[in-house]
Amino acid sequence: MVVGLTSRIVNFSSEIKVAAAVFILTLVTAKFVNYLKKRHHKLPPGPWNLPVVGYLPFLGEAPLFTFASLRKMYGDVFSIKLGSFSAIIVNGKDPIKEALVTKGDDFSARPPFTTATLLNEGRNLGFSAFGPVWKAHRKLLSNVLYAFTNARNNPIEDIVVSEAITVVEDFIAHGNEPFRVCDIVTMAACSMMYQLCYGRNKNIREDPDFSAALRNNREFAKFTEAGNPVDVMPWIRHILPWKILDFRKVLQSLYSYRIKKVEDHEKTFDEENRRDITDGLIHAANHLSEKEKEVGLDRRRVIESLDTIFGAGVMTVSTFFDWCVLLMAAHPETQEKVFQEIEDVVGQSRYPSLADRSRLPLVEATIYEVLRFSCPVPFALPHATTCDTTIQGYDVPKGTVVLVNLFSILHDKETWGDPEKFRPERFLDNGQVDRPRPSK
């Protein structure tokens, strides 16, 4: 028995050695092939990367500033390794225009990140592959949103005013005690998007479906935040399978309450009175053209647009509100000027409305400057190349991940002169909103 056990141990040890040798040989071969490819292509320059994890350990807590340093060293287009994926970072107005406009089709794919794969089980518009069905879906959704926002009886302003009042009351209730602003504004953003999608609700904070939506949105944001290692190192999902299971549960919960809301809407749906975005999507799904059906657009995909609208809306709106509060607190002189303009134009007898926009140039300019300075979405959704292509004279192989750095445009010194300063007046010309002038 001992001899047999010893023999098994020796055999197992030999198997490990053989497996290790095969692994090392495969790794060396892959590296050598990659080296030969690089010799025959003019690939974007970039820093040295670690095996397996690539450049991830060096990104730090503020990748934007890391990328800014790398841009100074390697130029507007440089390459790094994001875990298992080869990637390029595209910075600056002209390179980004080349990637997204001039050669838009070449850079129109989505990388096979874990998040995108899971979301596409629900055929999410934001992460879907580029093609005829994506274009038809995007056009239909744009038309639905345009029709809703331009309808005479849309509830948008009433919802915004109601949430603004609630936010102010919550702020006042804390008195001089410190509190987390982001919790209050995220609640407001979630409430607004929920009501725009599913209808006006004056008692929304008592709605259990809304509470579930808010909770699931927080969990969703945690998993999909930038730099998720499961995305760029897919093999981690086999080591930490519960991460994927937890995310699937969140998605299932999001889908469940959306299905419930849509079913409730269909019971009271009226073609002549579209109350919210859900009604608009139901109408669109009921009137799909033959051309839209031919390319693969169907009722289910149209209705599932609600998940994209709600998720994207909450994240961007809440981030913008956070920055508004922060920048107004940091610049009380601007806050006072904005308040005074609203006081002079609107007064105290009513709330501001969209009709006042042309008479509130400083308010509008301040909104633009908050968006520019904060850049709530510093990177566009990850792209990938659909074919072997080029950018700024460099070769980019098919399947390369492409990160578009929008922050690099909004904080470009040549364009803005003093991008590090919060200065709403840059959007004003003779007291009226105008395009910014460089270095002005």
Side-chain angles (χ1 to χ4, degrees), residues 238-269:
H238 302 296
I239 301 174
L240 306 173
W242 58 86
K243 291 281 188 181
I244 303 301
L245 290 175
D246 289 345
F247 188 57
R248 284 185 182 277
K249 289 178 183 178
V250 171
L251 292 180
Q252 187 55 52
S253 182
L254 288 168
Y255 298 157
S256 295
Y257 79 70
R258 183 251 300 156
I259 291 172
K260 177 177 179 291
K261 288 295 183 181
V262 171
E263 289 175 347
D264 290 343
H265 273 65
E266 288 177 329
K267 294 175 184 177
T268 57
F269 178 70

mmCIF file of all heavy atoms in Angstrom, residues 238-269:
data_model
loop_
_atom_site.group_PDB
_atom_site.id
_atom_site.type_symbol
_atom_site.label_atom_id
_atom_site.label_comp_id
_atom_site.label_asym_id
_atom_site.label_seq_id
_atom_site.Cartn_x
_atom_site.Cartn_y
_atom_site.Cartn_z
ATOM 1 N N HIS A 238 -13.929 32.166 -12.345
ATOM 2 C CA HIS A 238 -13.867 30.762 -11.932
ATOM 3 C C HIS A 238 -13.295 30.612 -10.524
ATOM 4 O O HIS A 238 -13.527 29.607 -9.855
ATOM 5 C CB HIS A 238 -13.019 29.971 -12.927
ATOM 6 C CG HIS A 238 -13.532 30.042 -14.336
ATOM 7 N ND1 HIS A 238 -14.759 29.534 -14.699
ATOM 8 C CD2 HIS A 238 -12.996 30.592 -15.463
ATOM 9 C CE1 HIS A 238 -14.960 29.746 -15.998
ATOM 10 N NE2 HIS A 238 -13.908 30.394 -16.472
ATOM 11 N N ILE A 239 -12.549 31.624 -10.086
ATOM 12 C CA ILE A 239 -11.983 31.608 -8.741
ATOM 13 C C ILE A 239 -12.964 32.216 -7.738
ATOM 14 O O ILE A 239 -13.062 31.767 -6.592
ATOM 15 C CB ILE A 239 -10.651 32.389 -8.712
ATOM 16 C CG1 ILE A 239 -9.643 31.757 -9.690
ATOM 17 C CG2 ILE A 239 -10.069 32.425 -7.308
ATOM 18 C CD1 ILE A 239 -8.363 32.545 -9.824
ATOM 19 N N LEU A 240 -13.688 33.251 -8.189
ATOM 20 C CA LEU A 240 -14.674 33.925 -7.331
ATOM 21 C C LEU A 240 -16.050 33.838 -7.985
ATOM 22 O O LEU A 240 -16.646 34.862 -8.358
ATOM 23 C CB LEU A 240 -14.281 35.394 -7.131
ATOM 24 C CG LEU A 240 -12.869 35.675 -6.595
ATOM 25 C CD1 LEU A 240 -12.581 37.165 -6.623
ATOM 26 C CD2 LEU A 240 -12.711 35.135 -5.178
ATOM 27 N N PRO A 241 -16.603 32.647 -8.135
ATOM 28 C CA PRO A 241 -17.873 32.498 -8.860
ATOM 29 C C PRO A 241 -19.038 33.230 -8.209
ATOM 30 O O PRO A 241 -19.999 33.600 -8.887
ATOM 31 C CB PRO A 241 -18.096 30.974 -8.860
ATOM 32 C CG PRO A 241 -17.320 30.473 -7.677
ATOM 33 C CD PRO A 241 -16.115 31.361 -7.596
ATOM 34 N N TRP A 242 -18.968 33.429 -6.878
ATOM 35 C CA TRP A 242 -20.079 34.107 -6.201
ATOM 36 C C TRP A 242 -20.249 35.558 -6.662
ATOM 37 O O TRP A 242 -21.336 36.112 -6.571
ATOM 38 C CB TRP A 242 -19.886 34.037 -4.688
ATOM 39 C CG TRP A 242 -18.608 34.644 -4.189
ATOM 40 C CD1 TRP A 242 -18.384 35.948 -3.872
ATOM 41 C CD2 TRP A 242 -17.363 33.957 -3.993
ATOM 42 N NE1 TRP A 242 -17.088 36.126 -3.475
ATOM 43 C CE2 TRP A 242 -16.431 34.923 -3.526
ATOM 44 C CE3 TRP A 242 -16.948 32.644 -4.144
ATOM 45 C CZ2 TRP A 242 -15.116 34.597 -3.233
ATOM 46 C CZ3 TRP A 242 -15.639 32.323 -3.836
ATOM 47 C CH2 TRP A 242 -14.741 33.290 -3.390
ATOM 48 N N LYS A 243 -19.147 36.173 -7.153
ATOM 49 C CA LYS A 243 -19.258 37.541 -7.665
ATOM 50 C C LYS A 243 -20.241 37.584 -8.836
ATOM 51 O O LYS A 243 -21.088 38.484 -8.927
ATOM 52 C CB LYS A 243 -17.888 38.036 -8.123
ATOM 53 C CG LYS A 243 -16.888 38.284 -7.007
ATOM 54 C CD LYS A 243 -17.164 39.598 -6.327
ATOM 55 C CE LYS A 243 -16.061 39.941 -5.335
ATOM 56 N NZ LYS A 243 -16.338 41.217 -4.642
ATOM 57 N N ILE A 244 -20.107 36.617 -9.743
ATOM 58 C CA ILE A 244 -20.990 36.561 -10.903
ATOM 59 C C ILE A 244 -22.406 36.193 -10.477
ATOM 60 O O ILE A 244 -23.387 36.758 -10.980
ATOM 61 C CB ILE A 244 -20.462 35.536 -11.929
ATOM 62 C CG1 ILE A 244 -19.029 35.888 -12.341
ATOM 63 C CG2 ILE A 244 -21.364 35.490 -13.157
ATOM 64 C CD1 ILE A 244 -18.880 37.256 -12.947
ATOM 65 N N LEU A 245 -22.528 35.260 -9.548
ATOM 66 C CA LEU A 245 -23.851 34.857 -9.080
ATOM 67 C C LEU A 245 -24.586 36.031 -8.438
ATOM 68 O O LEU A 245 -25.786 36.231 -8.672
ATOM 69 C CB LEU A 245 -23.719 33.708 -8.074
ATOM 70 C CG LEU A 245 -23.269 32.357 -8.637
ATOM 71 C CD1 LEU A 245 -23.066 31.340 -7.503
ATOM 72 C CD2 LEU A 245 -24.275 31.819 -9.649
ATOM 73 N N ASP A 246 -23.869 36.820 -7.641
ATOM 74 C CA ASP A 246 -24.484 37.989 -6.997
ATOM 75 C C ASP A 246 -24.950 39.002 -8.046
ATOM 76 O O ASP A 246 -26.033 39.581 -7.922
ATOM 77 C CB ASP A 246 -23.495 38.656 -6.031
ATOM 78 C CG ASP A 246 -23.246 37.829 -4.779
ATOM 79 O OD1 ASP A 246 -24.031 36.900 -4.527
ATOM 80 O OD2 ASP A 246 -22.260 38.102 -4.066
ATOM 81 N N PHE A 247 -24.123 39.201 -9.077
ATOM 82 C CA PHE A 247 -24.492 40.163 -10.115
ATOM 83 C C PHE A 247 -25.697 39.659 -10.911
ATOM 84 O O PHE A 247 -26.579 40.443 -11.286
ATOM 85 C CB PHE A 247 -23.311 40.410 -11.050
ATOM 86 C CG PHE A 247 -23.533 41.521 -12.037
ATOM 87 C CD1 PHE A 247 -23.860 42.799 -11.612
ATOM 88 C CD2 PHE A 247 -23.436 41.296 -13.403
ATOM 89 C CE1 PHE A 247 -24.066 43.836 -12.513
ATOM 90 C CE2 PHE A 247 -23.637 42.323 -14.310
ATOM 91 C CZ PHE A 247 -23.951 43.588 -13.866
ATOM 92 N N ARG A 248 -25.742 38.356 -11.164
ATOM 93 C CA ARG A 248 -26.899 37.790 -11.864
ATOM 94 C C ARG A 248 -28.183 38.007 -11.056
ATOM 95 O O ARG A 248 -29.245 38.276 -11.612
ATOM 96 C CB ARG A 248 -26.695 36.294 -12.113
ATOM 97 C CG ARG A 248 -25.724 35.974 -13.253
ATOM 98 C CD ARG A 248 -25.696 34.468 -13.498
ATOM 99 N NE ARG A 248 -24.762 34.104 -14.525
ATOM 100 C CZ ARG A 248 -25.007 34.148 -15.834
ATOM 101 N NH1 ARG A 248 -26.197 34.572 -16.252
ATOM 102 N NH2 ARG A 248 -24.106 33.775 -16.710
ATOM 103 N N LYS A 249 -28.078 37.897 -9.727
ATOM 104 C CA LYS A 249 -29.244 38.114 -8.868
ATOM 105 C C LYS A 249 -29.721 39.561 -8.972
ATOM 106 O O LYS A 249 -30.928 39.835 -9.008
ATOM 107 C CB LYS A 249 -28.897 37.775 -7.420
ATOM 108 C CG LYS A 249 -28.714 36.282 -7.154
ATOM 109 C CD LYS A 249 -28.334 36.030 -5.698
ATOM 110 C CE LYS A 249 -28.083 34.549 -5.443
ATOM 111 N NZ LYS A 249 -27.655 34.311 -4.031
ATOM 112 N N VAL A 250 -28.760 40.503 -9.007
ATOM 113 C CA VAL A 250 -29.114 41.917 -9.154
ATOM 114 C C VAL A 250 -29.820 42.152 -10.480
ATOM 115 O O VAL A 250 -30.867 42.815 -10.544
ATOM 116 C CB VAL A 250 -27.856 42.804 -9.055
ATOM 117 C CG1 VAL A 250 -28.194 44.245 -9.426
ATOM 118 C CG2 VAL A 250 -27.282 42.759 -7.649
ATOM 119 N N LEU A 251 -29.257 41.596 -11.554
ATOM 120 C CA LEU A 251 -29.865 41.759 -12.878
ATOM 121 C C LEU A 251 -31.267 41.154 -12.908
ATOM 122 O O LEU A 251 -32.199 41.752 -13.462
ATOM 123 C CB LEU A 251 -28.989 41.109 -13.946
ATOM 124 C CG LEU A 251 -27.643 41.766 -14.230
ATOM 125 C CD1 LEU A 251 -26.902 40.998 -15.317
ATOM 126 C CD2 LEU A 251 -27.814 43.217 -14.657
ATOM 127 N N GLN A 252 -31.420 39.978 -12.310
ATOM 128 C CA GLN A 252 -32.724 39.322 -12.306
ATOM 129 C C GLN A 252 -33.756 40.150 -11.558
ATOM 130 O O GLN A 252 -34.917 40.255 -11.972
ATOM 131 C CB GLN A 252 -32.617 37.933 -11.677
ATOM 132 C CG GLN A 252 -33.895 37.104 -11.792
ATOM 133 C CD GLN A 252 -34.375 36.962 -13.214
ATOM 134 O OE1 GLN A 252 -33.611 36.575 -14.097
ATOM 135 N NE2 GLN A 252 -35.642 37.279 -13.462
ATOM 136 N N SER A 253 -33.322 40.775 -10.458
ATOM 137 C CA SER A 253 -34.234 41.630 -9.697
ATOM 138 C C SER A 253 -34.623 42.863 -10.510
ATOM 139 O O SER A 253 -35.792 43.261 -10.528
ATOM 140 C CB SER A 253 -33.579 42.055 -8.383
ATOM 141 O OG SER A 253 -34.446 42.840 -7.612
ATOM 142 N N LEU A 254 -33.634 43.448 -11.201
ATOM 143 C CA LEU A 254 -33.915 44.597 -12.063
ATOM 144 C C LEU A 254 -34.901 44.222 -13.162
ATOM 145 O O LEU A 254 -35.853 44.946 -13.449
ATOM 146 C CB LEU A 254 -32.616 45.113 -12.685
ATOM 147 C CG LEU A 254 -31.640 45.842 -11.755
ATOM 148 C CD1 LEU A 254 -30.293 46.033 -12.439
ATOM 149 C CD2 LEU A 254 -32.202 47.193 -11.331
ATOM 150 N N TYR A 255 -34.685 43.069 -13.777
ATOM 151 C CA TYR A 255 -35.579 42.614 -14.847
ATOM 152 C C TYR A 255 -36.982 42.341 -14.310
ATOM 153 O O TYR A 255 -37.989 42.656 -14.961
ATOM 154 C CB TYR A 255 -35.032 41.348 -15.502
ATOM 155 C CG TYR A 255 -33.690 41.498 -16.170
ATOM 156 C CD1 TYR A 255 -32.867 40.392 -16.376
ATOM 157 C CD2 TYR A 255 -33.228 42.745 -16.584
ATOM 158 C CE1 TYR A 255 -31.617 40.525 -16.982
ATOM 159 C CE2 TYR A 255 -31.985 42.885 -17.182
ATOM 160 C CZ TYR A 255 -31.177 41.774 -17.375
ATOM 161 O OH TYR A 255 -29.944 41.903 -17.975
ATOM 162 N N SER A 256 -37.063 41.783 -13.101
ATOM 163 C CA SER A 256 -38.355 41.383 -12.544
ATOM 164 C C SER A 256 -39.272 42.566 -12.310
ATOM 165 O O SER A 256 -40.449 42.551 -12.684
ATOM 166 C CB SER A 256 -38.146 40.613 -11.232
ATOM 167 O OG SER A 256 -37.472 39.395 -11.466
ATOM 168 N N TYR A 257 -38.738 43.633 -11.679
ATOM 169 C CA TYR A 257 -39.632 44.765 -11.424
ATOM 170 C C TYR A 257 -39.940 45.523 -12.706
ATOM 171 O O TYR A 257 -41.013 46.106 -12.856
ATOM 172 C CB TYR A 257 -39.106 45.683 -10.316
ATOM 173 C CG TYR A 257 -38.026 46.660 -10.663
ATOM 174 C CD1 TYR A 257 -38.269 47.773 -11.483
ATOM 175 C CD2 TYR A 257 -36.749 46.514 -10.142
ATOM 176 C CE1 TYR A 257 -37.276 48.670 -11.782
ATOM 177 C CE2 TYR A 257 -35.757 47.418 -10.435
ATOM 178 C CZ TYR A 257 -36.014 48.488 -11.257
ATOM 179 O OH TYR A 257 -35.021 49.382 -11.551
ATOM 180 N N ARG A 258 -39.000 45.478 -13.684
ATOM 181 C CA ARG A 258 -39.309 46.097 -14.984
ATOM 182 C C ARG A 258 -40.452 45.347 -15.672
ATOM 183 O O ARG A 258 -41.384 45.964 -16.208
ATOM 184 C CB ARG A 258 -38.071 46.106 -15.861
ATOM 185 C CG ARG A 258 -38.300 46.810 -17.204
ATOM 186 C CD ARG A 258 -38.313 45.840 -18.334
ATOM 187 N NE ARG A 258 -37.048 45.137 -18.408
ATOM 188 C CZ ARG A 258 -36.921 43.953 -18.978
ATOM 189 N NH1 ARG A 258 -37.969 43.324 -19.448
ATOM 190 N NH2 ARG A 258 -35.743 43.345 -19.014
ATOM 191 N N ILE A 259 -40.419 44.023 -15.646
ATOM 192 C CA ILE A 259 -41.489 43.220 -16.257
ATOM 193 C C ILE A 259 -42.820 43.518 -15.581
ATOM 194 O O ILE A 259 -43.853 43.683 -16.238
ATOM 195 C CB ILE A 259 -41.144 41.724 -16.149
ATOM 196 C CG1 ILE A 259 -39.955 41.390 -17.054
ATOM 197 C CG2 ILE A 259 -42.353 40.860 -16.516
ATOM 198 C CD1 ILE A 259 -39.407 39.997 -16.874
ATOM 199 N N LYS A 260 -42.794 43.619 -14.257
ATOM 200 C CA LYS A 260 -44.019 43.912 -13.506
ATOM 201 C C LYS A 260 -44.587 45.267 -13.893
ATOM 202 O O LYS A 260 -45.804 45.419 -14.110
ATOM 203 C CB LYS A 260 -43.714 43.873 -12.006
ATOM 204 C CG LYS A 260 -44.881 44.231 -11.091
ATOM 205 C CD LYS A 260 -44.470 44.089 -9.628
ATOM 206 C CE LYS A 260 -45.611 44.457 -8.687
ATOM 207 N NZ LYS A 260 -45.913 45.896 -8.723
ATOM 208 N N LYS A 261 -43.719 46.278 -13.994
ATOM 209 C CA LYS A 261 -44.174 47.617 -14.356
ATOM 210 C C LYS A 261 -44.747 47.657 -15.774
ATOM 211 O O LYS A 261 -45.757 48.318 -16.036
ATOM 212 C CB LYS A 261 -43.012 48.611 -14.228
ATOM 213 C CG LYS A 261 -42.614 48.936 -12.796
ATOM 214 C CD LYS A 261 -43.736 49.658 -12.069
ATOM 215 C CE LYS A 261 -43.333 50.045 -10.661
ATOM 216 N NZ LYS A 261 -44.443 50.726 -9.943
ATOM 217 N N VAL A 262 -44.107 46.966 -16.692
ATOM 218 C CA VAL A 262 -44.584 46.952 -18.077
ATOM 219 C C VAL A 262 -45.948 46.264 -18.158
ATOM 220 O O VAL A 262 -46.861 46.742 -18.852
ATOM 221 C CB VAL A 262 -43.565 46.249 -18.999
ATOM 222 C CG1 VAL A 262 -44.163 46.038 -20.388
ATOM 223 C CG2 VAL A 262 -42.291 47.074 -19.106
ATOM 224 N N GLU A 263 -46.110 45.168 -17.437
ATOM 225 C CA GLU A 263 -47.399 44.467 -17.436
ATOM 226 C C GLU A 263 -48.504 45.362 -16.876
ATOM 227 O O GLU A 263 -49.630 45.374 -17.403
ATOM 228 C CB GLU A 263 -47.287 43.178 -16.624
ATOM 229 C CG GLU A 263 -46.444 42.104 -17.309
ATOM 230 C CD GLU A 263 -46.256 40.874 -16.433
ATOM 231 O OE1 GLU A 263 -46.556 40.954 -15.213
ATOM 232 O OE2 GLU A 263 -45.813 39.832 -16.960
ATOM 233 N N ASP A 264 -48.204 46.113 -15.822
ATOM 234 C CA ASP A 264 -49.190 47.045 -15.262
ATOM 235 C C ASP A 264 -49.551 48.126 -16.274
ATOM 236 O O ASP A 264 -50.726 48.522 -16.389
ATOM 237 C CB ASP A 264 -48.635 47.693 -13.991
ATOM 238 C CG ASP A 264 -48.530 46.705 -12.828
ATOM 239 O OD1 ASP A 264 -49.162 45.648 -12.897
ATOM 240 O OD2 ASP A 264 -47.785 47.004 -11.870
ATOM 241 N N HIS A 265 -48.547 48.620 -17.011
ATOM 242 C CA HIS A 265 -48.802 49.652 -18.016
ATOM 243 C C HIS A 265 -49.680 49.130 -19.155
ATOM 244 O O HIS A 265 -50.568 49.842 -19.645
ATOM 245 C CB HIS A 265 -47.479 50.168 -18.593
ATOM 246 C CG HIS A 265 -46.877 51.290 -17.816
ATOM 247 N ND1 HIS A 265 -46.424 51.152 -16.529
ATOM 248 C CD2 HIS A 265 -46.652 52.598 -18.150
ATOM 249 C CE1 HIS A 265 -45.944 52.319 -16.094
ATOM 250 N NE2 HIS A 265 -46.070 53.199 -17.053
ATOM 251 N N GLU A 266 -49.429 47.909 -19.567
ATOM 252 C CA GLU A 266 -50.184 47.357 -20.702
ATOM 253 C C GLU A 266 -51.674 47.203 -20.378
ATOM 254 O O GLU A 266 -52.513 47.278 -21.272
ATOM 255 C CB GLU A 266 -49.586 46.020 -21.119
ATOM 256 C CG GLU A 266 -48.217 46.179 -21.814
ATOM 257 C CD GLU A 266 -47.582 44.857 -22.178
ATOM 258 O OE1 GLU A 266 -47.820 43.873 -21.433
ATOM 259 O OE2 GLU A 266 -46.856 44.805 -23.192
ATOM 260 N N LYS A 267 -51.992 47.039 -19.098
ATOM 261 C CA LYS A 267 -53.398 46.906 -18.708
ATOM 262 C C LYS A 267 -54.154 48.222 -18.877
ATOM 263 O O LYS A 267 -55.371 48.217 -19.092
ATOM 264 C CB LYS A 267 -53.485 46.449 -17.251
ATOM 265 C CG LYS A 267 -52.948 45.043 -17.003
ATOM 266 C CD LYS A 267 -52.948 44.720 -15.510
ATOM 267 C CE LYS A 267 -52.329 43.358 -15.236
ATOM 268 N NZ LYS A 267 -52.243 43.054 -13.777
ATOM 269 N N THR A 268 -53.445 49.344 -18.747
ATOM 270 C CA THR A 268 -54.106 50.665 -18.820
ATOM 271 C C THR A 268 -53.578 51.505 -19.978
ATOM 272 O O THR A 268 -53.779 52.717 -20.008
ATOM 273 C CB THR A 268 -53.885 51.420 -17.500
ATOM 274 O OG1 THR A 268 -52.471 51.539 -17.254
ATOM 275 C CG2 THR A 268 -54.531 50.688 -16.336
ATOM 276 N N PHE A 269 -52.896 50.862 -20.930
ATOM 277 C CA PHE A 269 -52.260 51.599 -22.025
ATOM 278 C C PHE A 269 -53.292 52.294 -22.911
ATOM 279 O O PHE A 269 -54.325 51.723 -23.279
ATOM 280 C CB PHE A 269 -51.418 50.640 -22.873
ATOM 281 C CG PHE A 269 -50.754 51.292 -24.050
ATOM 282 C CD1 PHE A 269 -49.713 52.187 -23.874
ATOM 283 C CD2 PHE A 269 -51.191 51.018 -25.344
ATOM 284 C CE1 PHE A 269 -49.101 52.792 -24.950
ATOM 285 C CE2 PHE A 269 -50.580 51.610 -26.435
ATOM 286 C CZ PHE A 269 -49.526 52.503 -26.235
#
